[in-house]
Amino acid sequence: MRRFAPWLPAIVLTLALAAAAPGRAQSPDGARLYQQRCGGCHSLDADRVGPRHRGLIGRRAGAVRGFRYSPALARSDIVWTRTALERWLRGPRAMVRGTTMGFSLSDPAERRAIIDYLASED
């Protein structure tokens, strides 16, 4: 008869919990992508070249006090939802003609991961 390894249930439980929480597994990837793709100009808590992003979901575009937005974005009626962010990250100048943000993300999985990360940091 084979002997039972006492540590085996702990490993099985850990793997099961990791599989049951996919959002948690995506978060580090979104954080890493945010730093790599957005971190040169943006931060969660401080205005830099671009405005801070904490609390972005549900916020009106051009609404961070003290940040100097392009007139085009300041006049826009955009409210940052997941759908609006998807469109924005795909092509900001196509969404708001005259915006100063020219960076876009062509990879839908990267856009989704960054949006998920931003939503988790509200």
Side-chain angles (χ1 to χ4, degrees):
M1 178 178 222
R2 291 187 75 115
R3 203 167 139 201
F4 181 77
W7 45 265
L8 187 58
I11 290 175
V12 170
L13 179 61
T14 300
L15 292 173
L17 288 173
R24 291 170 76 121
Q26 291 175 354
S27 210
D29 189 48
R32 180 182 56 79
L33 286 169
Y34 177 80
Q35 287 305 317
Q36 290 175 343
R37 307 288 191 265
C38 310
C41 295
H42 293 277
S43 154
L44 288 177
D45 297 310
D47 295 339
R48 297 177 66 198
V49 173
R52 63 187 167 268
H53 281 157
R54 190 173 308 279
L56 182 65
I57 303 291
R59 185 166 71 204
R60 189 183 150 279
V64 172
R65 260 183 204 255
F67 187 80
R68 194 169 153 194
Y69 291 91
S70 67
L73 191 59
R75 284 190 312 266
S76 75
D77 290 324
I78 298 167
V79 173
W80 295 122
T81 62
R82 287 175 176 269
T83 302
L85 284 168
E86 165 67 30
R87 188 173 166 214
W88 176 257
L89 291 174
R90 192 174 355 132
R93 290 187 176 163
M95 185 172 177
V96 178
R97 177 166 260 137
T99 186
T100 54
M101 182 163 149
F103 178 79
S104 63
L105 282 169
S106 60
D107 185 328
E110 287 188 3
R111 290 194 303 265
R112 202 168 25 257
I114 290 170
I115 292 166
D116 287 347
Y117 171 68
L118 289 171
S120 75
E121 293 297 320
D122 273 353

